[in-house]
Amino acid sequence: MAIILGIESSCDDTSAAVICDGVICSNVVAGQAVHEQYGGVVPELASRAHQQNIIPVVHQALKQAGVTKEDLSAVAFTRGPGLLGSLLVGTSFAKGFSTALDIPLIDVNHLKAHVLAHFIKEDADDMDQPKFPFLCLLVSGGNSQIIRVDSHSKMEIVGQTIDDAAGEAFDKCAKVMGLPYPGGPVVDKLAKLGDGDKFKFSKPRIAGYDYSFSGLKTSFLYFLRDELMNDTGFIEKNKEDLCASLQKTIVDILMDKLRLAAKDLQINEIAVAGGVSANSGLRASFEDHAQKYGWNIHIPKFAYTTDNAAMVAITGYYKYLEQDFCDKSVTPYARTSI
Ligand code: KG4
């Protein structure tokens, strides 16, 4: 049996998970409330919190999985992309742990891990996984990409954002409305009470499958500035409709390009991944597309949408099967592609 310990520390969540032959055995995530008061992640504080959290989180993950460290076959860790200081904590721990246990070390690309989260099995009989080739819409705070996935290791970016990511668009527009960080989940909640057709915001006109969200952000900002000149209570009075209209615009932008790519590449096996895939409007639109266009859709469990070590462990598991290990002198990288 292959028992993989996964470690994730790329941003502000410290996480450890155990996957046994592809089946999830534990997934422990410690968030960092310290950033809330700053309205965003403070890198230096994130690294320090990772240092405090990493040992208890790993301990908990092993305990919940009912395994000891001696049972482990390999240690997989997020090498990047992410915040360098945060990545260093997970990387150093994984290196030390694998050296002490004399087991292989496996470096994992965080973006690939988001995509491979779809292969985490809830039990040995779980067969609900995408078939190759499939398209994955990866939408998070730092990425908006359409990825063609041909195997567990072969992936290619078909389209991506040329400026802001979808999550950033949610967060920045939420900030303009005075909503707390991160804005995405708050916009989602308020949008459920509003009318998505009440306000219209500009959509980008870009060729191909690439995205752009900076124009929407500006159009949203100017729209509010003009309305606030007439009525200082405009945001408060229209908060739900503003959120619903903003969410509808972002979802439409994401789905228009995904639909185009699916049609051109003739792929109807479609998945979504990353923090923004928790969005209820995006999930509903996926269901609509499944009905209308015969898509076979794959939407991850909420626990696997945000940063988590289960997706790192499953990616490590597939690399373990290929004996694709890394050297103990490995260093993390802040930026990289898929
Ligand atoms: O993948 P993720 O957890 O982390 C990074 O990108 O590092 O994604 C976080 C992003 C944030 O921008 C957050 O606002 C967004 O995902 N997000 C959502 C929702 N939940 C999280 N956006 C819209 N609706 C949601 N329900």
Side-chain angles (χ1 to χ4, degrees), residues 25-329:
C25 296
S26 65
N27 183 34
V28 178
V29 184
Q32 301 181 356
V34 64
H35 307 287
E36 275 163 23
Q37 57 184 307
Y38 300 101
V41 177
V42 183
E44 181 55 31
L45 295 180
S47 324
R48 289 183 200 195
H50 282 306
Q51 282 182 321
Q52 285 172 349
N53 293 343
I54 189 108
I55 291 175
V57 162
V58 169
H59 181 74
Q60 194 64 20
L62 293 174
K63 200 168 146 206
Q64 276 184 19
V67 299
T68 66
K69 54 187 188 307
E70 288 76 19
D71 295 327
L72 295 173
S73 312
V75 180
F77 69 98
T78 301
R79 185 175 176 190
L83 300 170
L84 204 54
S86 291
L87 289 164
L88 268 169
V89 179
T91 306
S92 308
F93 182 88
K95 283 161 82 166
F97 212 50
S98 70
T99 304
L101 296 168
D102 196 21
I103 53 176
L105 181 64
I106 302 174
D107 61 323
V108 167
N109 177 312
H110 182 81
L111 304 175
K112 273 193 173 155
H114 268 302
V115 176
L116 293 186
H118 286 282
F119 293 88
I120 299 168
K121 290 185 172 190
E122 293 304 314
D123 54 56
D125 301 323
D126 182 355
M127 292 296 159
D128 183 21
Q129 291 155 10
K131 289 173 194 61
F132 300 117
F134 67 92
L135 290 183
C136 185
L137 176 69
L138 175 57
V139 269
S140 67
N143 288 279
S144 296
Q145 302 178 329
I146 299 174
I147 299 162
R148 182 193 160 107
V149 188
D150 285 294
S151 72
H152 294 114
S153 56
K154 188 167 176 262
M155 302 183 194
E156 183 194 340
I157 296 171
V158 172
Q160 61 187 326
T161 182
I162 58 166
D163 42 55
D164 289 350
E168 248 177 309
F170 271 110
D171 295 343
K172 287 180 178 170
C173 292
K175 195 171 179 184
V176 174
M177 287 188 281
L179 300 175
Y181 176 87
V186 188
V187 170
D188 191 358
K189 205 167 151 206
L190 290 168
K192 288 186 182 130
L193 309 168
D195 172 5
D197 292 314
K198 179 84 180 276
F199 304 111
K200 295 272 174 262
F201 304 113
S202 76
K203 289 189 190 166
R205 289 201 191 93
I206 307 179
Y209 313 121
D210 283 342
Y211 290 117
S212 166
F213 288 100
S214 67
L216 168 63
K217 184 184 63 189
T218 314
S219 124
F220 191 74
L221 185 70
Y222 287 171
F223 171 76
L224 287 185
R225 187 195 58 185
D226 294 347
E227 293 296 336
L228 286 170
M229 277 202 264
N230 299 327
D231 177 4
T232 49
F234 180 80
I235 295 181
E236 202 43 49
K237 286 178 201 153
N238 295 283
K239 212 153 45 181
E240 289 87 1
D241 292 338
L242 282 167
C243 287
S245 304
L246 172 69
Q247 178 166 299
K248 184 168 188 293
T249 310
I250 295 175
V251 170
D252 283 352
I253 294 172
L254 290 171
M255 296 309 283
D256 286 351
K257 290 295 174 95
L258 185 59
R259 203 167 49 243
L260 187 67
K263 184 168 160 255
D264 290 353
L265 301 172
Q266 298 189 335
I267 295 177
N268 69 351
E269 194 78 13
I270 316 284
V272 60
V276 181
S277 65
N279 185 266
S280 59
L282 185 60
R283 287 176 172 236
S285 184
F286 257 70
E287 304 281 356
D288 272 1
H289 279 68
Q291 294 280 330
K292 267 193 208 139
Y293 302 99
W295 284 6
N296 212 358
I297 56 167
H298 301 272
I299 300 176
K301 271 180 63 178
F302 279 107
Y304 305 143
T305 58
T306 47
D307 291 345
N308 66 87
M311 65 184 196
V312 178
I314 194 73
T315 309
Y317 169 69
Y318 284 106
K319 288 187 88 171
Y320 181 83
L321 295 182
E322 309 227 307
Q323 302 276 294
D324 185 358
F325 307 138
C326 69
D327 193 81
K328 302 265 159 70
S329 63

